[in-house]
């Protein structure tokens, strides 16, 4: 008999480092790649793997996330399948989630109702493809209480990640530390470390016991990575799963093993730029392992005018349905649905979200424009960063970010 699996997606974080994109939406609800929301990537991985009982734990500014999941992620109820958002229900008292571990502890009713053999606990704000079946199979074979997904990164970058240190067998976790400056390399690769991907497979009994113990500890941060995993590591019951071993159908040599934490504006921007190469670093055109999302009934993208220099064209870019490129040049950019770029304007290295409108003779360079931003005729964004810093958000790497509804000045 096949094992029973419940998937829990953690989608309650505030996403402060992505402001202003998270001003009025949860981080997993932030649009990505023109046609998607961040949460679509983890949900697609789970659905493609056949794990069709999924709960999404939400908390902050969750309306657009709840609406997206409810409208888009509809499963057939005939076999009891579902994807459902679950807000903080205050079942344990009049308080909100105190951390990711507390979120699951307060939602024990979901586990008790489903009675799974194993529980997947995955984050909602990473961009990647993964077949979680392979991780579950390795977890079952190991007999561990928890298996933690790890991606190999250079030892020099250890202070940027939650680091998984393993024993000589290369599998049993002997330490789980947050951004250490004295990390130790892997037994088979001394110049590499395992960075935690924030994805876990638990044996249900072990998860419930660990969460109950953690809930009684008043000094705990009640965090999965900061509290629960170290507890199970100390007991010798935690293993690592090497993401390098995960083989996703349809992967190319170039995008094999791709994973990016888009927790900052710069990483969010860089992940978009990974999409638009001729041979993309992350390939959205893998039809064997599709990324699902809600598809509106937009008309095809349109490129109009061919009079002298007034030619509508897009080069090295992704252009979504409903967009109109009119007598202008778009380069190295991701263009979302219903975007309008008017004549004699130039967009280069930009992420334009749904409904953005670029006026005539405007210039937009190395920028992220949130939904429905209007750039008036002749305006310049990304040309004078000192001027932009006085009006907008500018990232550490010089990316100009204009929030939804923010006024753009000439």
């Amino acid at each position: 008999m096949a094992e029973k699996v419940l998937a829990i997606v953690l989608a309650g974080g505030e996403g402060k480092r992505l402001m202003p994109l998270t001003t009025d939406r949860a981080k997993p609800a932030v649009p990505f790649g023109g046609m998607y929301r961040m949460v679509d990537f983890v949900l697609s991985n789970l659905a493609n793997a056949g794990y069709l009982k999924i709960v999404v734990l939400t908390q902050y500014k969750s309306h657009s996330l709840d609406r997206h999941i409810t409208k888009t992620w509809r499963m057939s109820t005939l076999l009891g399948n579902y994807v459902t958002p679950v807000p903080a229900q205050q079942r344990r008292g009049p308080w909100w989630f105190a951390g990711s571990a507390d979120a699951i502890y307060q939602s024990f009713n979901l586990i008790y109702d489903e009675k799974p053999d194993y529980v997947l606990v995955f984050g909602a704000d990473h961009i990647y493809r993964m077949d979680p079946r392979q991780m579950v199979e390795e977890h079952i074979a190991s007999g561990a209480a928890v298996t933690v997904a790890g991606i190999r990164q250079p030892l020099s970058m250890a202070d940027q990640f939650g680091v998984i240190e393993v024993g000589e067998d290369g599998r049993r976790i002997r330490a789980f530390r947050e951004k250490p400056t004295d990390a130790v390399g892997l037994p088979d690769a001394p110049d590499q470390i395992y960075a935690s991907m924030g994805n876990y497979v638990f044996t249900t009994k072990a998860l419930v016991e660990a969460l109950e113990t953690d809930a009684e500890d008043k000094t705990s941060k009640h965090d999965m990575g900061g509290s629960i995993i170290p507890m199970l590591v100390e007991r010798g019951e935690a293993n690592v799963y090497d993401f390098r071993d995960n083989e996703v159908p349809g992967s190319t040599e170039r995008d094999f093993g791709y994973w990016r934490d888009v927790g900052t504006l710069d990483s969010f921007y860089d992940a978009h730029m990974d999409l638009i190469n001729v041979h993309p670093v992350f390939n959205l055109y893998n039809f064997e392992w599709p990324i699902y999302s809600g598809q509106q009934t937009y008309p095809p993208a349109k490129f109009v005018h061919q009079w002298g220099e007034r030619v509508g064209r897009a080069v090295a870019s992704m252009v979504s349905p409903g967009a109109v490129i009119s007598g202008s040049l778009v380069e190295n950019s991701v263009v979302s649905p219903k975007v309008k770029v008017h004549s004699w304007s130039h967009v280069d290295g930009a992420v334009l979200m749904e409904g953005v409108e670029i006026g005539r003779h405007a210039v937009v360079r190395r920028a992220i424009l949130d939904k429905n931003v209007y750039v008036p005729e002749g305006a310049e964004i990304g040309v004078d960063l000192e001027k932009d810093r006085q009006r907008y958000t500018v990232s550490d790497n010089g990316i100009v970010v204009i929030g939804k509804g923010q006024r753009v000045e000439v």
Side-chain angles (χ1 to χ4, degrees), residues 13-22 27 60 263 265:
E14 290 186 78
K16 292 181 179 179
R17 295 182 298 164
L18 275 181
M19 293 287 284
L21 303 180
T22 50
K27 182 179 174 184
Y60 297 100
L265 293 170

Side-chain angles (χ1 to χ4, degrees), residues 45 48 128-132 134 243 245-252 255-257 286 288-289:
N45 287 328
N48 284 325
Y128 67 113
R129 277 191 178 88
M130 178 184 188
D131 182 353
Q134 297 167 33
F243 186 53
D245 297 335
N246 198 261
E247 297 184 4
V248 175
S251 291
T252 66
D255 81 338
F256 177 80
N286 178 355
E288 295 183 48
W289 197 270

Side-chain angles (χ1 to χ4, degrees), residues 28-40:
V30 172
F32 184 87
M35 303 290 293
Y36 311 94
R37 304 271 186 147
M38 283 193 202
V39 73
D40 291 328

Side-chain angles (χ1 to χ4, degrees), residues 71 93 103 214 256 343 348 380 384:
K71 291 176 62 178
D214 179 70
F256 177 80
S343 294
D348 186 6
E380 294 184 343
D384 184 343

Side-chain angles (χ1 to χ4, degrees), residues 174-409:
R174 64 178 181 84
F176 190 93
R177 298 194 291 159
E178 188 66 27
K179 300 181 179 179
T181 56
D182 58 346
V184 179
L186 300 176
D188 64 345
D191 61 339
Q192 296 179 349
I193 50 96
Y194 281 128
S196 173
M197 297 170 62
N199 291 351
Y200 316 109
V201 178
F202 288 91
T203 300
T204 302
K205 183 175 182 292
L207 173 63
V208 170
E209 291 177 352
L211 289 172
E212 288 176 339
T213 300
D214 179 70
E216 296 172 358
D217 182 358
K218 303 306 180 184
T219 65
S220 172
K221 297 179 180 178
H222 305 300
D223 180 73
M224 293 302 294
S227 307
I228 303 301
I229 303 304
M231 180 194 305
L232 295 174
V233 167
E234 188 174 341
R235 297 178 184 175
E237 298 176 347
N239 274 16
V240 68
Y241 174 75
D242 191 340
F243 186 53
R244 185 180 63 175
D245 297 335
N246 198 261
E247 297 184 4
V248 175
S251 291
T252 66
E253 183 178 346
R254 185 161 170 77
D255 81 338
F256 177 80
Y258 180 95
W259 176 86
R260 190 182 283 273
D261 181 352
V262 286
T264 66
L265 293 170
D266 286 322
S267 62
F268 180 83
Y269 177 85
D270 291 342
H272 276 87
M273 296 301 104
D274 288 342
L275 305 175
I276 57 178
N277 290 322
V278 175
H279 301 292
V281 183
F282 183 66
N283 180 26
L284 286 176
Y285 301 89
N286 178 355
F287 299 107
E288 295 183 48
W289 197 270
I291 305 300
Y292 299 103
S293 192
Q295 303 296 329
Q296 302 295 321
T297 54
Y298 296 131
K302 183 167 66 171
F303 303 80
V304 294
H305 298 308
Q306 193 174 356
W307 303 336
E309 295 182 359
R310 191 184 182 193
V311 179
R313 59 208 189 277
V315 182
S317 299
M318 295 175 58
V319 181
S320 302
V324 179
I325 312 299
S326 174
S328 54
L329 173 60
V330 175
E331 299 180 279
N332 310 304
S333 297
V334 176
V335 179
S336 301
K338 297 172 63 179
V339 167
K340 294 181 181 178
V341 186
H342 291 282
S343 294
W344 297 292
S345 59
H346 185 195
V347 176
D348 186 6
V351 178
L352 307 181
M353 295 189 185
E354 184 173 332
V356 166
E357 185 168 356
I358 309 296
R360 291 185 171 195
H361 301 285
V363 176
V364 178
R365 296 177 183 165
R366 287 174 51 81
I368 302 169
L369 275 55
D370 206 340
K371 293 178 66 173
N372 301 321
V373 167
Y374 175 72
V375 179
E377 182 172 349
E380 294 184 343
I381 297 169
V383 176
D384 184 343
L385 291 184
E386 290 306 314
K387 184 177 179 181
D388 288 335
R389 285 190 178 93
Q390 298 173 17
R391 300 178 294 179
Y392 317 120
T393 299
V394 179
S395 75
D396 293 341
N397 291 346
I399 307 303
V400 182
V401 186
I402 302 179
K404 182 164 55 174
Q406 191 171 346
R407 180 178 177 82
V408 175
E409 302 174 4

Side-chain angles (χ1 to χ4, degrees), residues 27-254:
K27 182 179 174 184
V30 172
F32 184 87
M35 303 290 293
Y36 311 94
R37 304 271 186 147
M38 283 193 202
V39 73
D40 291 328
F41 290 83
V42 62
L43 294 180
S44 295
N45 287 328
L46 293 168
N48 284 325
Y51 296 132
L52 303 178
K53 298 179 187 294
I54 307 170
V55 294
V56 182
L57 302 187
T58 66
Q59 180 154 270
Y60 297 100
K61 303 174 185 175
S62 63
H63 173 65
S64 63
L65 177 60
D66 293 341
R67 183 179 59 190
H68 174 72
I69 293 171
T70 302
K71 291 176 62 178
T72 301
W73 285 93
R74 295 183 177 181
M75 297 290 188
S76 170
T77 58
L78 184 63
L79 299 178
N81 301 326
Y82 55 84
V83 179
T84 184
V86 179
Q89 302 176 75
Q90 299 190 341
R91 287 176 175 266
R92 302 280 178 169
W95 50 78
W96 301 110
F97 296 151
S100 55
D102 183 57
I104 301 175
Y105 176 72
Q106 289 198 41
S107 305
F108 265 174
N109 63 296
L110 305 172
I111 297 175
Y112 295 150
D113 290 347
E114 202 58 55
K115 297 181 176 64
D117 301 311
Y118 302 96
V119 178
L120 276 61
V121 179
F122 278 32
D125 45 19
H126 300 139
I127 305 303
Y128 67 113
R129 277 191 178 88
M130 178 184 188
D131 182 353
R133 292 172 298 192
Q134 297 167 33
M135 183 176 172
V136 171
E137 290 169 1
E138 186 169 301
H139 173 78
I140 294 172
S142 73
V146 64
T147 298
V148 183
I151 185 169
R152 291 172 181 251
Q153 297 289 341
L155 178 62
S156 60
M157 297 176 62
D159 60 356
Q160 301 178 33
F161 299 102
V163 172
I164 303 164
E165 296 183 0
V166 294
E168 290 302 318
D169 64 356
R171 284 290 181 257
R172 188 68 63 179
I173 302 175
R174 64 178 181 84
F176 190 93
R177 298 194 291 159
E178 188 66 27
K179 300 181 179 179
T181 56
D182 58 346
V184 179
L186 300 176
D188 64 345
D191 61 339
Q192 296 179 349
I193 50 96
Y194 281 128
S196 173
M197 297 170 62
N199 291 351
Y200 316 109
V201 178
F202 288 91
T203 300
T204 302
K205 183 175 182 292
L207 173 63
V208 170
E209 291 177 352
L211 289 172
E212 288 176 339
T213 300
D214 179 70
E216 296 172 358
D217 182 358
K218 303 306 180 184
T219 65
S220 172
K221 297 179 180 178
H222 305 300
D223 180 73
M224 293 302 294
S227 307
I228 303 301
I229 303 304
M231 180 194 305
L232 295 174
V233 167
E234 188 174 341
R235 297 178 184 175
E237 298 176 347
N239 274 16
V240 68
Y241 174 75
D242 191 340
F243 186 53
R244 185 180 63 175
D245 297 335
N246 198 261
E247 297 184 4
V248 175
S251 291
T252 66
E253 183 178 346
R254 185 161 170 77

